Amino acid sequence: LFYFSSVILTLQRFPSHSTMNISKSGYRVFSANSTTACTELAKKITERLGVDLGKSVVYQESNRETRVDVKESVRGQDIFIIQTIPRDVNTAIMELLVMAYALKTNCAKNIIGVIPYFPYSKQCKMRKRGSIVCKLLASMLAKAGLTHIITMDLHQKEIQGFFSFPVDNLRASPFLLQYIQEEIPDYRNAIIVAKSPSAAKRAQSYAERLRLGLAVMHGEAQCSESDMADGRHSPPPMSSGRTTSGHPGLELPLMMAKEKPPITVVGDVGGRIAIIVDDIIDDVEDFVAAAEILKERGAYKIYIMATHGLLSAEAPRLIEESAIDEVVVTNTVPHEVQKLQCPKIKTVDVSMILAEAIRRIHNGESMAYLFRNITVDD
């Protein structure tokens, strides 16, 4: 194993140091989820910390309003709210907001949100006449009373700038790299693949750590943005008989439209294991198409490694019917139902690093160790 595996081995020793009586620990760990499937990660984290999960009730009333009842005193304590995001994203957000506000009004000292997958992270850029929803969510969390957030592999690292309080953006790469070394036979014959040029930096980081080659796919289908009806051609042509006042519109240079090149693979994947790395796998059509191209180029096995396995809609069926041999994701998002539908989906547990982050923040210890040997591109 390489140097990053020492981080995991060292973390495995920490639970023995942090087993303490909950009444003396000065902190509580709550789960803000109302569904049982979403509390599994919270239970694993509390087991590693040696504490009990905080007593609370989160439920939806008949009119779908969210109600939270905290069943124990939180006055003057550090409170950690673990919130995993199921398919019903908006309900999960309301559960987190209502619980944070309930804890704030009950005089909690600090309220730290543990949100392994941060929702709406893809909506972090302005597109046409849309909005930056991720910024809105950051403001809502601050208003509700959160004072700190622990998350993992934000879709864009610049999202941390949306918050008015500290954000610890942990990395799942040491766990995924360890899985590659221990669970993929003959991984030395593998090549790391970026399915788009935008993912090349992440793929390069994996390739350098594993001492493997790198391939980049270029020309895959992108989300097209139609310019015809969004007002970019304003002012509209004037109809006959209609007059206008003021300065006429200026004639600006016409921009040439983008033309997608044919799909190409930069790098030799023939006779090798192809490992595609990304941060989120949700709609899998792009991954399935990439796997087909890699098979045509001679790759004999296709693996996909991602931190957040949302796996929405028909993803399990498409993966099962595709050329993909295995999809490896962490347990930042509950996906047990998808695993039952598709045995190709495998899970890596990251509760260890989340538990250690909680322990360090409560004890006022440096978080730098959790980022040791982590590059900017991870």
Side-chain angles (χ1 to χ4, degrees), residues 259-331:
E259 183 177 347
K260 290 184 295 185
I263 295 179
T264 57
V265 180
V266 181
D268 182 19
V269 299
R272 307 179 78 174
I273 301 170
I275 303 175
I276 304 174
V277 298
D278 213 334
D279 62 329
I280 299 173
I281 176 168
D282 189 1
D283 298 322
V284 299
E285 286 85 355
D286 288 348
F287 291 93
V288 171
E292 293 292 341
I293 295 296
L294 292 172
K295 279 286 186 182
E296 292 175 5
R297 298 293 193 278
Y300 69 91
K301 274 194 175 182
I302 312 290
Y303 288 82
I304 295 176
M305 315 290 294
T307 303
H308 310 295
L310 306 186
L311 302 170
S312 302
E314 296 296 312
R317 179 183 61 81
L318 293 174
I319 293 171
E320 186 65 24
E321 297 173 356
S322 72
I324 299 170
D325 292 281
E326 197 167 282
V327 174
V328 182
V329 294
T330 71
N331 56 344

Side-chain angles (χ1 to χ4, degrees), residues 14-16 18-22 25 27-32 38-56 72 79-83 114 331 349-359:
F14 277 116
S16 62
S18 59
T19 52
M20 58 185 73
N21 186 282
I22 188 168
S25 64
Y27 74 97
R28 299 283 191 278
V29 180
F30 287 88
S31 173
C38 295
T39 60
E40 291 302 317
L41 180 60
K43 291 177 180 177
K44 289 183 178 181
I45 290 173
T46 52
E47 286 175 3
R48 290 186 178 277
L49 289 169
V51 300
D52 296 325
L53 197 60
K55 297 176 183 178
S56 64
E72 57 184 300
I79 305 300
F80 295 85
I81 309 173
I82 300 173
Q83 181 70 327
V114 183
N331 56 344
D349 181 24
V350 293
S351 62
M352 182 191 305
I353 194 170
L354 294 170
E356 178 58 14
I358 290 174
R359 189 192 71 82

Side-chain angles (χ1 to χ4, degrees), residues 92-106:
I93 291 171
M94 278 306 301
E95 290 170 347
L96 177 60
L97 292 171
V98 174
M99 173 162 275
Y101 192 67
L103 295 167
K104 177 183 177 181
T105 55
N106 282 279

Side-chain angles (χ1 to χ4, degrees), residues 127-128 221-227 260:
R127 295 186 183 276
K128 296 186 181 179
Q222 299 285 348
C223 296
S224 61
E225 295 185 2
S226 174
D227 293 345
K260 290 184 295 185

Side-chain angles (χ1 to χ4, degrees), residues 5-74:
S5 64
S6 65
V7 176
I8 298 174
L9 294 174
T10 305
L11 287 174
Q12 289 173 338
R13 298 197 294 268
F14 277 116
S16 62
H17 297 296
S18 59
T19 52
M20 58 185 73
N21 186 282
I22 188 168
S23 62
K24 298 179 182 179
S25 64
Y27 74 97
R28 299 283 191 278
V29 180
F30 287 88
S31 173
N33 289 113
S34 58
T35 55
T36 306
C38 295
T39 60
E40 291 302 317
L41 180 60
K43 291 177 180 177
K44 289 183 178 181
I45 290 173
T46 52
E47 286 175 3
R48 290 186 178 277
L49 289 169
V51 300
D52 296 325
L53 197 60
K55 297 176 183 178
S56 64
V57 178
V58 183
Y59 61 97
Q60 312 300 316
E61 294 195 0
S62 56
N63 62 354
R64 302 301 297 166
E65 287 186 359
T66 298
R67 184 175 290 273
V68 173
D69 291 327
V70 180
K71 300 295 186 180
E72 57 184 300
S73 174
V74 296

Side-chain angles (χ1 to χ4, degrees), residues 103-339:
L103 295 167
K104 177 183 177 181
T105 55
N106 282 279
C107 302
K109 181 182 178 182
N110 295 302
I111 304 172
I112 300 96
V114 183
I115 315 170
Y117 167 66
F118 194 80
Y120 286 97
S121 59
K122 286 187 175 182
Q123 297 189 48
C124 62
K125 295 180 180 179
M126 193 69 178
R127 295 186 183 276
K128 296 186 181 179
R129 293 189 180 90
S131 61
I132 305 176
V133 184
C134 196
K135 167 63 175 173
L136 171 64
L137 182 54
S139 301
M140 292 167 64
L141 293 172
K143 191 69 176 177
L146 265 68
T147 59
H148 196 140
I149 277 183
I150 303 169
T151 186
M152 181 167 283
D153 282 339
L154 287 170
H155 187 58
Q156 297 288 340
K157 297 176 182 65
E158 293 78 9
I159 290 173
Q160 296 174 78
F162 293 161
F163 294 87
S164 57
F165 49 77
V167 177
D168 285 308
N169 182 27
L170 304 177
R171 307 295 197 274
S173 55
F175 298 90
L176 296 175
L177 288 164
Q178 186 181 47
Y179 184 94
I180 292 173
Q181 290 182 305
E182 295 180 354
E183 303 296 333
I184 298 181
D186 196 24
Y187 83 92
R188 290 290 187 184
N189 189 38
I191 186 168
I192 305 298
V193 179
K195 73 176 182 66
S196 66
S198 61
K201 285 187 176 181
R202 181 186 298 269
Q204 181 181 1
S205 176
Y206 275 65
E208 290 175 351
R209 287 166 178 259
L210 293 168
R211 315 299 195 262
L212 299 176
L214 174 67
V216 179
M217 302 189 70
H218 178 59
E220 77 280 4
Q222 299 285 348
C223 296
S224 61
E225 295 185 2
S226 174
D227 293 345
M228 298 308 295
D230 68 350
R232 298 185 193 186
H233 294 285
S234 60
M238 303 304 298
S239 59
S240 60
R242 185 179 173 186
T243 61
T244 182
S245 59
H247 195 280
L250 298 176
E251 289 292 332
L252 298 176
L254 183 65
M255 293 290 291
M256 295 185 63
K258 289 183 179 180
E259 183 177 347
K260 290 184 295 185
I263 295 179
T264 57
V265 180
V266 181
D268 182 19
V269 299
R272 307 179 78 174
I273 301 170
I275 303 175
I276 304 174
V277 298
D278 213 334
D279 62 329
I280 299 173
I281 176 168
D282 189 1
D283 298 322
V284 299
E285 286 85 355
D286 288 348
F287 291 93
V288 171
E292 293 292 341
I293 295 296
L294 292 172
K295 279 286 186 182
E296 292 175 5
R297 298 293 193 278
Y300 69 91
K301 274 194 175 182
I302 312 290
Y303 288 82
I304 295 176
M305 315 290 294
T307 303
H308 310 295
L310 306 186
L311 302 170
S312 302
E314 296 296 312
R317 179 183 61 81
L318 293 174
I319 293 171
E320 186 65 24
E321 297 173 356
S322 72
I324 299 170
D325 292 281
E326 197 167 282
V327 174
V328 182
V329 294
T330 71
N331 56 344
T332 55
V333 177
H335 52 265
E336 294 304 316
V337 174
Q338 291 90 326
K339 287 179 69 175

